[in-house]
Amino acid sequence: MMGMFCFQCQETAKGKGCTLRGVCGKTEDVANLQDLLIYVLKGISLYSVEVRKLGIEDDEVNKFIMESLFSTITNVNFSRKDFVERIRKGLELRQIIRDKLVNGGGSIEGITHDAAVWEASGEEDMIAKAGTIGILSTENEDIRSLRELLVYGVKGMAAYAEHAYTLGYQDENIFAFMQKALAATLDDTLSADDLVALVMECGKYGVDVMALLDRANTTTYGNPEITKVNIGVGSNPGILVSGHDLKDFEELLKQTEGTGVDVYTHGEMLPAHYYPAFKKYSHFVSNYGNAWWQQDKEFASFNGPILMTTNCLVPPKDEYKDRVYTTGVVGFDGVKHIPDRKNGEAKDFTAIIEHARNCKPPVEIERGEIVGGFAHNTVISLADKVIDAVKSRAVKRFFVMAGCDGRMKGRDYYTEFAEKLPKDTIILTAGCAKYRYNKLGLGDIGGIPRVLDAGQCNDSYSLAVIALKLKEAFGLEDVNELPISYNIAWYEQKAVIVLLALLYLGVKNIHLGPTLPAFLSPNVVNVLVEKFGIGGISSVDEDIKMFME
Ligand code: SF4
Ligand code: SF3
């Protein structure tokens, strides 16, 4: 038995690490192959960093590293076959980029790390190698912690970069940073301070990547608008779309038009309803269900096929497995996969549409509406109203409660927290964390809803833009002087990049829950506490008292 070790998400076993099988359902072999893939990416990066110094940008390497990082995020890809293939392809690319370095007149003499030179003769070789290069192979606990914090930040960055890339937006500086960071995690000469500096730099690129994606989304699909989203069902068969990829969503909407098949959103696809470009489709019916972890029940009662464009996929139950389709970097052995775009043409969703035609319409699980679409453009257009409300003390405080949801029992805290917040406070949210309180009917303050949903987790950027604009409007020196508190819920690695981005923007005293990351060593936690005032959560009553003081 080889064992595994993964502690990259909030649900890691016993708050320490998954060692036999992931709580997420990831098997030991897949966990180890993911580690090996990261190792291969680090090896490629040792060369690509040098190649870049020659003024050469390699698009294929940039794309491969970005997509591969994304594929290892929690709940994206569980397929052994996919990771074996990616490792094989990675080793091939490593050779190509090495040749480019040599042919470009660069030197490979200093590149001697095992990650840059090892070879695999086949799958068994990969499995054997994987067991030797895992996270625990870095012995020093603090160095390990900082290396992993950096890698998880870069994974989150890759996810957002990939969404922007799909829409035709890219930034070579972001690719360059990802590769620099990956290579740096192999460098034993770097001290803890050096790694802390890289983690902070990661936050800078976190801001950049979220700004890039914001530009990509709003230029392509318009600025999100205040929208009432139906949460009931229609009478036609439907396709349920989850994940974060708006391009997949757009193409599916187009291809389902006039087919008698309706389209629904699930989980993090809910904010698709806020975009002007999607509102014109009358067969775009509603948002069905809640956050990702409830999919086992909700996918079953939906009756129609489900398209997983990105995370979070829970290993599908037999009862609906044949109705699940993955696409992009998502994968699960035995689940149908819709292939990538070729030659700039749209993906072909015929199979899932045909499947839907033969299904029953979804079972209604709830009825009513939720309101969202409060991204920066909308909120800034309401700035006068918001500023007046703060000045007149009608609004005492804003609470940023963005982030992820998860199945852990302790997350009831966020529902209770939202319910118990004084009525003169407003929640700013983004990400799937919102499902803990977006159906509570918390009312409004002079027409401003008490839950303002900016969109997906990447739209947390909107919340930062709003804070910076308010700082300006109030003529403040420091964003921390605003009446805004941060009580953020995290689960996977995209939340890590959002957190690092907020730290880079100078936001202090962020509270993170339901538990602090297992990958932060006690010393690294101390640094975050001392430098940024980061804290965990305690009881709802105590926390509200602390925030309102
Ligand atoms: Fe465990 Fe999370 Fe890693 Fe899955 S992603 S193996 S639940 S730590
Ligand atoms: Fe949610 Fe997975 Fe993180 Fe996009 S979809 S926020 S958990």
Side-chain angles (χ1 to χ4, degrees):
M1 189 73 148
M2 192 160 78
M4 62 177 270
F5 186 82
C6 179
F7 60 176
Q8 68 174 353
C9 85
Q10 190 273 327
E11 291 188 358
T12 194
K14 302 192 178 88
K16 288 195 159 47
C18 296
T19 52
L20 296 170
R21 185 190 173 91
V23 173
C24 59
K26 190 159 78 176
T27 51
E28 178 190 78
D29 54 347
V30 169
N32 289 327
L33 288 168
Q34 287 188 356
D35 287 350
L36 186 62
L37 175 60
I38 297 290
Y39 192 65
V40 173
L41 303 182
K42 292 176 180 179
I44 298 173
S45 297
L46 287 174
Y47 295 108
S48 65
V49 164
E50 295 305 314
V51 165
R52 189 167 282 109
K53 289 181 189 159
L54 303 173
I56 303 170
E57 201 62 42
D58 190 307
D59 294 339
E60 199 181 356
V61 163
N62 290 345
K63 186 163 183 269
F64 179 79
I65 291 182
M66 171 180 73
E67 289 178 348
S68 297
L69 283 167
F70 193 178
S71 72
T72 67
I73 285 182
T74 304
N75 293 338
V76 172
N77 196 314
F78 297 82
S79 162
R80 171 174 172 141
K81 165 173 87 29
D82 283 6
F83 287 106
V84 167
E85 176 51 26
R86 272 197 185 275
I87 292 164
R88 194 200 55 70
K89 170 94 181 141
L91 292 175
E92 210 175 279
L93 273 180
R94 196 188 64 189
Q95 184 59 41
I96 294 173
I97 193 80
R98 183 180 187 275
D99 292 346
K100 273 199 182 172
L101 180 59
V102 174
N103 298 336
S107 166
I108 53 164
E109 247 171 54
I111 307 177
T112 53
H113 194 284
D114 176 66
V117 295
W118 77 280
E119 293 290 348
S121 59
E123 198 166 323
E124 288 318 311
D125 230 20
M126 291 180 193
I127 294 282
K129 180 73 179 175
T132 66
I133 51 77
I135 293 158
L136 297 177
S137 61
T138 300
E139 277 166 23
N140 181 302
E141 188 190 30
D142 298 325
I143 298 290
R144 183 196 307 147
S145 174
L146 289 164
R147 282 180 176 175
E148 294 309 312
L149 174 57
L150 187 56
V151 170
Y152 304 152
V154 166
K155 286 188 183 191
M157 187 184 298
Y160 295 144
E162 200 269 347
H163 290 305
Y165 185 92
T166 304
L167 295 175
Y169 289 73
Q170 55 177 304
D171 176 347
E172 280 166 9
N173 296 317
I174 292 171
F175 292 133
F177 179 77
M178 286 193 243
Q179 293 159 30
K180 175 174 113 170
L182 286 170
T185 62
L186 295 175
D187 186 348
D188 290 332
T189 68
L190 294 183
S191 66
D193 285 346
D194 296 332
L195 288 168
V196 169
L198 274 166
V199 167
M200 292 304 118
E201 199 182 345
C202 189
K204 177 208 173 310
Y205 288 100
V207 174
D208 291 354
V209 79
M210 284 196 278
L212 181 73
L213 180 53
D214 184 74
R215 206 162 69 244
N217 285 341
T218 55
T219 312
T220 315
Y221 302 117
N223 275 302
E225 297 166 346
I226 302 175
T227 309
K228 284 186 179 153
V229 180
N230 175 19
I231 54 172
V233 295
S235 52
N236 293 330
I239 298 175
L240 187 57
V241 189
S242 195
H244 305 69
D245 194 299
L246 297 181
K247 179 108 173 164
D248 287 338
F249 192 72
E250 179 192 21
E251 291 177 351
L252 182 73
L253 272 180
K254 283 187 183 156
Q255 293 176 35
T256 40
E257 208 172 10
T259 61
V261 171
D262 288 339
V263 173
Y264 292 73
T265 53
H266 187 267
E268 274 284 70
M269 200 49 91
L270 158 65
H273 290 270
Y274 311 155
Y275 286 95
F278 304 142
K279 289 185 173 174
K280 60 175 188 250
Y281 295 97
S282 58
H283 65 295
F284 178 18
V285 175
S286 76
N287 187 70
Y288 190 82
N290 296 281
W292 64 273
W293 61 277
Q294 308 220 37
Q295 66 189 245
D296 58 341
K297 286 192 191 66
E298 294 169 355
F299 286 5
S301 65
F302 184 74
N303 288 335
I306 300 115
L307 177 67
M308 292 303 307
T309 66
T310 68
N311 54 325
C312 279
L313 173 66
V314 173
K317 283 189 170 166
D318 287 344
E319 141 182 47
Y320 60 81
K321 190 173 180 182
D322 68 320
R323 286 193 276 117
V324 177
Y325 290 72
T326 58
T327 191
V329 290
V330 192
F332 196 93
D333 287 338
V335 163
K336 293 178 274 287
H337 188 81
I338 298 194
D340 284 343
R341 296 177 185 88
K342 276 186 209 84
N343 312 321
E345 281 173 20
K347 286 186 187 176
D348 182 0
F349 290 109
T350 312
I352 190 169
I353 297 169
E354 286 308 313
H355 190 155
R357 282 176 195 270
N358 300 315
C359 294
K360 284 191 283 190
V363 174
E364 182 180 272
I365 49 174
E366 56 193 342
R367 208 178 262 200
E369 282 174 340
I370 45 179
V371 182
F374 296 92
H376 57 88
N377 189 273
T378 307
V379 177
I380 289 164
S381 69
L382 297 173
D384 290 347
K385 208 169 171 180
V386 173
I387 291 164
D388 286 350
V390 174
K391 284 193 174 150
S392 68
R393 306 283 286 155
V395 173
K396 276 223 188 64
R397 185 156 280 278
F398 294 91
F399 282 84
V400 171
M401 291 178 71
C404 315
D405 197 10
R407 43 200 149 195
M408 200 176 155
K409 186 85 184 72
R411 287 185 189 258
D412 293 353
Y413 165 97
Y414 294 102
T415 308
E416 198 190 329
F417 188 90
E419 278 170 334
K420 286 191 169 169
L421 271 177
K423 301 281 174 278
D424 51 10
T425 58
I426 286 182
I427 295 172
L428 301 172
T429 192
C432 59
K434 63 170 136 303
Y435 285 103
R436 289 281 168 178
Y437 42 79
N438 67 346
K439 295 173 185 170
L440 296 177
L442 293 178
D444 63 281
I445 303 177
I448 308 171
R450 288 196 52 231
V451 178
L452 298 181
D453 177 23
Q456 298 180 337
C457 46
N458 47 294
D459 298 309
S460 307
Y461 169 74
S462 256
L463 306 181
V465 172
I466 293 167
L468 294 173
K469 285 278 173 200
L470 287 179
K471 179 189 97 170
E472 224 175 274
F474 284 110
L476 300 173
E477 288 288 306
D478 182 348
V479 75
N480 296 298
E481 290 169 32
L482 285 166
I484 304 182
S485 301
Y486 294 79
N487 194 6
I488 290 178
W490 83 285
Y491 170 58
E492 32 82 344
Q493 299 76 57
K494 289 190 281 175
V496 176
I497 193 63
V498 173
L499 175 72
L500 296 180
L502 289 174
L503 297 184
Y504 173 76
L505 291 172
V507 176
K508 297 234 158 61
N509 303 322
I510 295 174
H511 287 257
L512 200 61
T515 53
L516 287 179
F519 56 80
L520 297 180
S521 69
N523 287 331
V524 173
V525 171
N526 283 342
V527 171
L528 293 175
V529 172
E530 276 164 27
K531 275 187 138 173
F532 303 103
I534 287 215
I537 57 169
S538 52
S539 76
V540 169
D541 293 328
E542 276 171 309
D543 287 352
I544 291 183
K545 192 162 168 273
M546 173 267 302
F547 283 123
M548 293 303 289
E549 263 166 11

